[in-house]
Each structure stands twice: as C-alpha cells, then as structure tokens.
Amino acid sequence: MKFIGSFPRADVALDPVLPEVAFMGRSNVGKSSLLNALVGQRIAKTSATPGKTRMLNVFLVSTGSGEWGVVRDGLSREVPLPTPHSLYFLDLPGYGYARAGKAQRAAFRGLLKHALRREALRGVVWLLDIRHHPSVDDRDMQRVLIEGQTRVLAALTKSDKLSATERRARERELREALKLPEDQVIVTSTKTGDGIVDLRDAIAGLVS
Ligand code: GTP
Ligand code: MG
C-alpha cells in the first residue's frame, strides 16, 4: 500500500483513475486500523483518541501483489491472491465526533458527502463497533448509503473485545438491525485477524 496524499476536499482528481473503496464509520471505530490490517502494513495513522483522521487520505493498493496476500486470518489459513487489481482506499474522518467544533463537524460531513459522489467509487466499507447498537449518526449514515444506492460491506469491528458466544449474538442482532444480507456483514478484528481475509475477498468482489 502506498500513501498518495492527504486532501481537504473530496472532489480531488486522482491520476490514474482507478476503482475506489471508502472507509466510513464513527470516529474511533477502527477505520484506519482496518485499512492497515487489510494490507498488512501500518501506513494509515491510528490513535486511541477519536478524531485522528481529519482529511481524505488516499492509498494505492494492489490486490494482486504480495502485500495483499500476507494478511492471514485468525486460523492462519493460506490465502490465495485475487486477480491483480489496483485500487484506491479512501480513509476518511469519522462522524459523530462529539468534541469536534461545529465548523469541523460540518467540514467532516462535507467530506463524506462528496466522497460518496466520486465517480470511481465502487463501494463503502461501513464500520460499526460490534459491541454497540447503531447510533443516531450510524442511522443517518445508513440513510445516505441507501439513498445513494451505494454498495456496502458492513464491517463489525473489534470482535476481540467479545467472547465467541457474544460475538455470534451481536452479529445476528446487528444484521437484523441493519437489514443487511449475511454476505454483506463481516465480523472483524485487527488484533486477532478475524474476518480480514473475508473482508479482503469481499472488497476484491466490489472492484472486479
Ligand atoms: P478516526 O480517524 O478518529 O475517525 O478513528 P478511526 O476510525 O480511524 O480509528 P483508529 O483506526 O484510529 O482506531 C481507534 C482505536 O481503536 C485505536 O486505539 C485502535 O488501536 C483501536 N482498534 C482498532 N481496531 C481494533 C480492533 O480490532 N480491536 C481492538 N481491541 N482495538 C481496535
Ligand atoms: Mg482514522
């Protein structure tokens, strides 16, 4: 994965034009961490404090290269490489960051809105913390995604924080709450590698 740039506006033109996948979710839900886990590198900046990502950060990813293949899941399965494909990952600020000022919240909202209108956008990885019920901001996001007919993969993050039993129960509850089909909801953890391979395959499916 290669860092392309940090942009204050989401209508920036990228050269070359490639399929794009955007990561969206509440502040601190684990967007930048997940992006790193998917490629097995730590390039996107993460933080325990919400509000770390403040601009549109663009990364170039090559799914056919070794970098995409080094990620192992929790079972350390050998993972076949998908067909070579270059794409951009769009790391974005989180929504619902309570401590951001009014102007900044509006700026973040604008970034997300315009990112969803990008011509080359193939889909969104929408992150939700597996421990929590969707927030009002999550519901707003859901409405926007449905209205825009955006292809969505829901990543339920931080699964390592729950027991296996709790995990299954929460997955079922969230799938019902979000009304998403099973193959669009993926339980993940950047700590254990849970679901990383599955999510990677699903993303490859979005762009191929
Ligand atoms: P903003 O850029 O502020 O919107 O946050 P973000 O959504 O990019 O979250 P980030 O990746 O910076 O992670 C936030 C915090 O959650 C960090 O302390 C991470 O280490 C932690 N975190 C991310 N993924 C996981 C996970 O799978 N398990 C656990 N236990 N912690 C995680
Ligand atoms: Mg971030």
Side-chain angles (χ1 to χ4, degrees), residues 27 33 80 86 109 122 199:
S27 194
S33 304
S86 289
R109 250 200 318 276
R122 291 295 172 81
L199 180 58

Side-chain angles (χ1 to χ4, degrees), residues 159-169:
S159 76
D160 55 282
K161 301 256 192 190
L162 298 179
S163 72
T165 313
E166 289 172 315
R167 212 145 54 212
R168 273 191 296 275

Side-chain angles (χ1 to χ4, degrees), residues 95-157:
Y95 47 79
Y97 175 37
R99 287 180 59 198
K102 211 171 171 183
Q104 187 160 59
R105 286 172 73 121
F108 286 178
R109 250 200 318 276
L111 260 181
L112 299 188
K113 193 172 84 185
H114 288 100
L116 286 169
R117 291 188 190 147
R118 291 182 62 83
E119 195 99 20
L121 189 77
R122 291 295 172 81
V124 166
V125 178
W126 182 35
L127 294 83
L128 297 127
D129 190 316
I130 194 165
R131 296 168 295 174
H132 307 309
H133 206 71
S135 66
V136 172
D137 293 311
D138 289 327
R139 291 300 192 183
D140 287 345
M141 185 75 225
Q142 184 179 28
R143 220 164 292 131
V144 172
L145 292 170
I146 290 170
E147 277 163 15
Q149 298 186 325
T150 313
R151 291 179 74 182
V152 171
L153 296 170
L156 309 185
T157 65

Side-chain angles (χ1 to χ4, degrees), residues 177-199:
L178 301 171
K179 299 196 165 40
L180 283 173
E182 199 159 335
D183 62 350
Q184 274 173 263
V185 181
I186 299 168
V187 175
T188 65
S189 166
T190 63
K191 296 265 144 89
T192 64
D194 189 15
I196 300 300
V197 170
D198 293 335
L199 180 58

